[in-house]
Structures are given as C-alpha cells and as structure tokens.
Amino acid sequence: MAAAGSTEELKAKAQQLQQTVFADSASDAESVKQKEEAVGQLSDTFVKLQDAKALTQLLSQLRPFFGVIPKAKTAKIVRNIIDQIAKIPNSTDIQVAVCKEQVDWAIAEKRTFLRQRIQLRLASLYLATADYQEALKIVGGLLTEVKKLDDKLLLVDIHLLESRVHHALRNQPKSRASLTAARTAANAIYVPISLQAEIDTQSGILHAEERDYKTAYSYFFEAFEQFSALDDTQAVAVLKYMLLCKVMLNEAGDVPAIVSSKAGLKYVGQDVDAMRAVAKAYHDRSLKEFQ
C-alpha cells in the first residue's frame, strides 16, 4: 500500500509540474528559469515512475518551449532527458527510437551542435546492441564533418567510440589507431576528468589484450583513481580489471591489500569479492576453489 501511495504522490507531482511547464506561455527570463527547473524535476519524477514513454512524449511536447530559449539550453535539456531515459531498465530500444527522432528534428531545425551529439549517443547505443556496422557508419560521417569544424572535444569522444567499436569487432590495429587519434586530439585541449578516465580505461583494455598487463594495470589504476574521485559507478569495473591484471602478472598476493585499501573498501561487494576469490584460488593453485 505504501508503494501504491508513493506512486500516486509521484503522479500527482508530475501533473503539477506539467502545469508549471505547459500552462503558462510566458517567455520572460524568470518564467523560462522556472520552466527549466520544472522540466528537470518532471524528468526526475518520470524516472522514479519508470515511465520512459512519458519522457519520450515530454521531448515532443517541449518543442514550442525550445523555440523561445537559446539553442545551448535546448541541447542541454534534450541530452539530459535522454540521459534520464537511460536510467530506466530495459529502455535501450526506446533510447534508439528517441535518438533517431531527435536527430530528424535537429536536422529540420538546423541545430548542428545538438544533432552531432545525439548521433554520437545513437552510435554508442548501436555499440551496446552489437550493431557495429551502423555504429561505424555514424562515426565515419561524424568524423568527416567534425574534423572540418575542428571541435576537438567532440573529436575525442568520436575517436574513443570508434576505438571501442573496432575492439568489439576484434580489429586491434584499427582500435589502437583510433585511440591514438583520441589522445592526440585530447592533448590539444582541456579534457574533463571523466573523459580522461575513459581514455585510460580503453588504453588499459588494449594493453591487456596484447598481454602487456603491467602497462594495462598502470592505466587502470589512473582511471580508477579518477572515477573514484567522481564517485562514478565505472570505478567498480575498472577495479576488477586492476585485480585481474595482478592475477595475470602472477601477483595475486597483492589483491587482498588493494581490496582492503581505503579506495578499494569503498567498492567492496559481490563483484570485487568474486575477483578476490579468483585471486585466492590462483594463489593457492586450487582449481577446486576457482570452480
């Protein structure tokens, strides 16, 4: 009953916020600011209700509002709502459909900045769904376009995604070439910590593929520290990579110390416990423990 009550409260809150956003057509600075805040709260409410369809409809309903606010704010709101849809489980197909729809709208409205970033998001979704050729098709078109614009930050994102797609296709030379291009572009600008951590993670993965586990561990360690500082959930996966590298380096005895460190204790759970058990089995030379 409590859950049902909570759901009803959230639905009532959503209706109230929708009135704030859509009932008043005023476009002065104060009204626009209030609507922006209400849109943020409304999307949060729909996520709590696990209502991806409502979020999709919200993007379409907001188009008149997008016509009276700056393009940069429009881009921020659209990308935030797509990010919110991603928080809802099993919503990948909806995300793909939404991205396609928003790309078409951005092309019609001549919003190049927004269109490029949504296309990049669409390519990453194709990677997640193993539709690698579609991902490469989008990436190839974006690279040609963005190189002319000299948008270095977007170029880093595109090359990094391209590296991941080639890695998924088991094409190591092309994956490494794309990663090198991403690093070259990143060296010319300030790169956000989260993006630098993603570059280091991809570097670690490629070195591990080549069985250079010592160098891979160094990259994973850098990425882990950066993700941990940001409280990013990717830190757990990178910590697992670090521990696996230690096992592959025949240094499984170091694993308990890493897990018990201040940074490691923050992520203790089923995933890390499993890696610790693998390391112990390797250290004890016990196939029975490993199984």
Side-chain angles (χ1 to χ4, degrees), residues 87-98:
K87 293 177 182 177
I88 298 172
N90 305 314
S91 63
T92 305
D93 290 342
I94 295 174
Q95 290 178 65
V96 169
V98 168

Side-chain angles (χ1 to χ4, degrees), residues 134-186:
E134 280 298 317
L136 285 176
K137 184 178 174 183
I138 292 173
V139 165
L142 282 173
L143 278 175
T144 303
E145 189 179 348
V146 174
K147 281 177 181 175
K148 294 176 184 175
L149 297 173
D150 200 33
D151 185 339
K152 287 282 197 298
L153 188 57
L154 182 55
L155 204 56
V156 174
D157 280 323
I158 296 169
H159 279 305
L160 182 57
L161 180 60
E162 183 183 39
S163 176
R164 288 171 175 160
V165 176
H166 284 308
H167 175 252
L169 288 166
R170 313 306 299 163
N171 191 331
Q172 292 296 106
K174 283 191 175 181
S175 182
R176 182 160 290 287
S178 298
L179 183 61
T180 300
R183 282 194 173 280
T184 301

